[in-house]
Amino acid sequence: MRKRTGKVLQIASTYMGTIVGAGFATGQEILQFFTRFGYWGTFTIALATALFIWLGTKMMLIASEIRAKSYEDLNKALFGDKYGRLISHFMLVILLGVTAVMLAGAGTIFYEHWNISYQAGLLITIAGSFLLLRKGMNAILAVNAVVVPVMLLFTVFVMIDTFQTPGSTKFVTLTTDYSPWAAWASPFLYTAFNLSLAQAVLVPLGSDIRDRKTIITGSWIGGIGIGFMLLAGHIALSVHMPGIQQFAIPMGGIARQLGHYVQLIYIFLIFAEIFTTLIADIYGLTLQLRERMNWSREMLTFGVLLICYVASQIGFGPLLSTLYPLFGLISLGWLILIIRKRVAFRNS
C-alpha cells in the first residue's frame, strides 16, 4: 500500500511539474490562454483540467499497454508507422528548440537576479543537468518531489493574499472583447500543446508502471493539481487586469507586492520550473536518440546539452516563432487521435 502511494505521488508530482512548467511562474500562459477571456477563463480552466485528467491518464495507459520505450512508440501507435516517425522527427526539433530556450532562460536568471554571468549560469545549469540525468528517470522524479510541493505552497500563499485584496472576485465579472469561440478553443489548444510536449517524460513514466489504478489515481491528483494552480494564477491575474497584460512576467509584478522574501521564493521557483522542464526534455530527447544511435546515454545527454549551449548563444526565437504555429496544429491533430484511440489495458 505504501509503495503504491509513493508511486501515485511520483506520477502526480511529475505530471504537475512537467505541465505547469515555467509558463505558470511567468503567468504568461495563464494570461494568454485563460485570463484575457474574462469570466470565461474560470469555465475554460475547468474544461482544461478535465482534459488533463482524462487524456493524461489515457496517454500513460497507452504507453503502459504498448510498453513504449519513447514518445515515438506512442506516436506510431497513434499515427501509424510512417507518419508517427515523421511527427517524432518534428518533435525532436521542437524539443531541442524548447530545451535551448530553457537553458538560455536559466542563464538569464543567474545574470539578472543572482549577479552571476550569463555564461557561468549556463555552465552551472548544464553541469547540474548532466549530473542529475545520469540517474535517469529517478532524477526527474526526485527534482519534482521537491519543486512541486514548494510550487503548491506558493500558489496557496498567492491565493490567500489575493482574496484579501480589494476586487478579489473580479474573475467572476471580468469582461472581454474576445468571442466565446476563441475562449472555448483555448483549453483545447493549451491541453494539446502541453500534453504533446509532456509526452517526452510522461510516456516513459507510464511505460514503467504496470498497475492501472496507480496510473489513474496519480493522473487524477496531478490533473486536479494543475487545474488548481491555473485557477489560482487566473484569479490573481484577474485582479490586476487589464494593466497586468503589459508585463513580460505578469506574476512577477504580483510577487513583488507580496514582499522581498516571497519574491526570492518566486525567483527560485522560476529557475526550478525551468530546470525541471529542461531535464525532462533532455531525458525525452536522449531516449528518442538512443533508438537511432548506438551511443551511451551519457554521451547523448552531453551531445544534446552541447547543441543547446551553442543554440543559446545565437538565440532560438526566430526558429521557434516559425515552428510553434505548425506545432500547435499538429498538437491538435495529435489530441484528436489520442481522444479516438481505444485503450484495452490489461493488468499484467
Side-chain angles (χ1 to χ4, degrees):
M1 182 68 182
R2 186 178 295 177
K3 188 177 180 181
R4 174 181 275 182
T5 302
K7 286 282 185 187
V8 164
L9 292 176
Q10 281 184 342
I11 291 170
S13 62
T14 304
Y15 194 10
M16 282 186 268
T18 305
I19 294 291
V20 172
F24 167 76
T26 62
Q28 270 298 348
E29 278 188 12
I30 300 171
L31 189 64
Q32 294 302 320
F33 284 93
F34 303 106
T35 306
R36 68 186 177 126
F37 298 112
Y39 64 87
W40 289 113
T42 306
F43 300 106
T44 55
I45 284 172
L47 175 57
T49 303
L51 288 170
F52 277 124
I53 292 169
W54 176 32
L55 298 176
T57 304
K58 197 169 188 178
M59 183 165 69
M60 284 191 265
L61 286 176
I62 294 169
S64 184
E65 180 190 347
I66 66 173
R67 303 287 207 275
K69 293 178 183 177
S70 72
Y71 62 81
E72 182 168 341
D73 292 337
L74 179 72
N75 285 324
K76 284 179 179 177
L78 293 172
F79 292 86
D81 197 64
K82 180 184 174 182
Y83 290 107
R85 190 175 284 111
L86 282 172
I87 293 293
S88 295
H89 285 158
F90 182 76
M91 284 194 65
L92 197 69
V93 175
I94 284 291
L95 278 169
L96 271 170
V98 170
T99 307
V101 169
M102 290 295 140
L103 184 59
T108 303
I109 287 174
F110 274 91
Y111 175 68
E112 289 186 355
H113 297 286
W114 296 331
N115 295 319
I116 298 171
S117 75
Y118 177 74
Q119 297 300 327
L122 292 179
L123 293 173
I124 291 167
T125 307
I126 285 171
S129 301
F130 184 77
L131 289 171
L132 274 171
L133 283 166
R134 291 181 70 185
K135 297 183 179 180
M137 177 61 79
N138 289 333
I140 297 168
L141 298 175
V143 171
N144 278 297
V146 175
V147 172
V148 170
V150 176
M151 197 159 54
L152 283 167
L153 278 172
F154 179 78
T155 305
V156 170
F157 189 81
V158 168
M159 206 162 190
I160 291 168
D161 185 80
T162 300
F163 280 120
Q164 294 172 348
T165 305
S168 60
T169 57
K170 195 176 177 181
F171 72 99
V172 178
T173 58
L174 190 65
T175 57
T176 178
D177 294 330
Y178 293 96
S179 75
W181 290 106
W184 286 102
S186 201
F188 290 98
L189 286 166
Y190 183 75
T191 309
F193 187 77
N194 278 283
L195 276 178
S196 54
L197 274 177
Q199 64 177 314
V201 67
L202 294 184
V203 167
L205 177 64
S207 184
D208 285 344
I209 295 167
R210 309 286 351 123
D211 183 58
R212 178 187 175 89
K213 287 182 180 177
T214 301
I215 292 174
I216 292 172
T217 309
S219 298
W220 266 83
I221 295 170
I224 291 167
I226 292 162
F228 169 69
M229 286 188 278
L230 288 174
L231 183 63
H234 168 61
I235 292 169
L237 290 167
S238 295
V239 173
H240 304 280
M241 282 288 281
I244 198 76
Q245 293 180 96
Q246 68 185 315
F247 293 103
I249 304 177
M251 290 295 286
I254 294 170
R256 274 195 294 275
Q257 296 172 15
L258 300 177
H260 176 67
Y261 291 110
V262 175
Q263 193 179 3
L264 286 176
I265 294 169
Y266 165 73
I267 292 165
F268 162 75
L269 266 179
I270 289 183
F271 177 77
E273 288 170 356
I274 286 172
F275 191 72
T276 55
T277 306
L278 179 71
I279 62 172
D281 287 348
I282 293 167
Y283 181 75
L285 282 166
T286 54
L287 283 182
Q288 188 62 38
L289 289 167
R290 279 191 83 181
E291 293 191 359
R292 292 177 168 80
M293 304 168 73
N294 194 26
W295 289 14
S296 69
R297 194 172 67 195
E298 284 82 4
M299 281 296 295
L300 286 170
T301 301
F302 181 77
V304 169
L305 283 166
L306 186 63
I307 291 167
C308 292
Y309 175 75
V310 172
S312 68
Q313 306 297 312
I314 59 176
F316 231 71
L319 181 58
L320 283 181
S321 64
T322 305
L323 291 176
Y324 263 50
L326 181 58
F327 188 59
L329 286 173
I330 290 173
S331 296
L332 273 178
W334 178 89
L335 189 80
I336 291 163
L337 284 169
I338 202 167
I339 286 170
R340 290 177 58 192
K341 179 74 176 177
R342 294 188 67 181
V343 184
F345 186 91
R346 295 177 298 275
N347 280 319
S348 58

